[in-house]
Amino acid sequence: VTTVPATAAGDEVIAWVEVEDGEISGGPALNSGDHGNFSGWGSYTFRETGMTSTMTVVAPAAGTYPVHIRYAAGPLSAEENVTRAMGLLTNGAARQQVRYPMTSLGDWETWRFATAQVSLREGANTLALQCDRGQEICRLNLDAIQVGGAAPDPCAATPAPDGWTSLFDGTFASFDGWRKAGAGGFGRQVDCTLRPFRGRGATWFTEEQEGPLTLDLDWRRGDADATSSVY
């Protein structure tokens, strides 16, 4: 009898974890929530050796899982405007280097996913994103990780009714069409909605809409004095 190691189903998402909710250690890592279009309530900037976010995920079975890492690699100096890298540690031991191509030469609000493969045991595991300037250029904003799933983004697109066009359908792909203005930033939440943080900023849809239109919007206020702030 030959025992075959269990392998996770490629389309099964087992975890979505915000980098900012991990255990941050190893230096003055900075919450970069002033850059918009993040997931959750912010992202973290990793600049120097030792900066680490350690996150815990629970695997339903031992096996090999894809890890999709949402990140931004924006403009720096000419020497650093190249593909960057950081370490990914599994259960505090095996360290692999994940490469992060530039996402934009113009801003830090363009996000992409980098994907790696990890071997997890059944039950609780730790995944750590770690900077080591001795062997890699970090200088990245790290947002969240998805463990499992053939493609990143646990939110499915909400279809628009006949005759309507979605400006935001819950997915990161449609969120890419928006940019913030002013202070603070906007984050995509686990329920696939958008929420503002840290200041009275705005987010605007960059594609010009021509001709008469009707805007249909759902919004949720936190208290009786809150307004929609839709203009």
Side-chain angles (χ1 to χ4, degrees):
V1 178
T2 301
T3 301
V4 179
T7 300
D11 59 353
E12 179 188 4
V13 178
I14 67 168
W16 177 271
V17 186
E18 301 293 335
V19 170
E20 65 269 21
D21 290 334
E23 181 181 344
I24 307 296
S25 61
L30 304 174
N31 188 305
S32 52
D34 56 329
H35 297 147
N37 290 56
F38 48 78
S39 171
W41 54 276
S43 63
Y44 261 85
T45 300
F46 291 79
R47 296 178 178 176
E48 304 300 338
T49 296
M51 291 182 175
T52 305
S53 175
T54 303
M55 295 156 281
T56 300
V57 299
V58 177
T64 300
Y65 292 78
V67 177
H68 305 287
I69 306 166
R70 194 166 188 260
Y71 75 99
L76 293 170
S77 65
E79 295 77 14
E80 293 178 308
N81 287 343
V82 296
T83 294
R84 300 163 198 167
M86 273 184 54
L88 173 62
L89 285 77
T90 304
N91 291 321
R95 187 185 197 273
Q96 60 177 301
Q97 191 178 77
V98 181
R99 294 171 63 82
Y100 299 90
M102 291 284 295
T103 55
S104 173
L105 287 172
D107 63 61
W108 280 85
E109 298 181 355
T110 301
W111 300 85
R112 298 289 182 267
F113 284 91
T115 300
Q117 301 288 326
V118 296
S119 295
L120 302 181
R121 60 196 176 213
E122 182 178 354
N125 296 263
T126 60
L127 295 173
L129 300 172
Q130 183 189 70
C131 173
D132 183 351
R133 291 297 299 276
Q135 57 181 315
E136 54 218 7
I137 299 176
C138 304
R139 303 299 177 96
L140 294 158
N141 285 356
L142 281 301
D143 188 23
I145 64 171
Q146 175 183 306
V147 183
D153 196 348
C155 287
T158 300
D162 289 343
W164 292 79
T165 298
S166 288
L167 302 187
F168 174 69
D169 62 11
T171 66
F172 284 126
S174 65
F175 197 13
D176 287 341
W178 294 75
R179 285 293 182 270
K180 83 176 192 73
F186 284 74
R188 210 281 301 272
Q189 305 301 292
V190 293
D191 62 359
C192 311
T193 62
L194 300 183
R195 182 180 176 184
F197 292 90
R198 288 178 292 278
R200 300 183 61 178
T203 189
W204 60 285
F205 189 61
T206 60
E207 182 180 342
E208 184 176 357
Q209 306 298 294
E210 297 181 355
L213 61 85
T214 299
L215 178 66
D216 186 26
L217 178 82
D218 289 330
W219 62 279
R220 182 170 59 221
R221 65 184 183 182
D223 56 60
D225 293 329
T227 64
S228 70
S229 296
V230 175
Y231 301 91

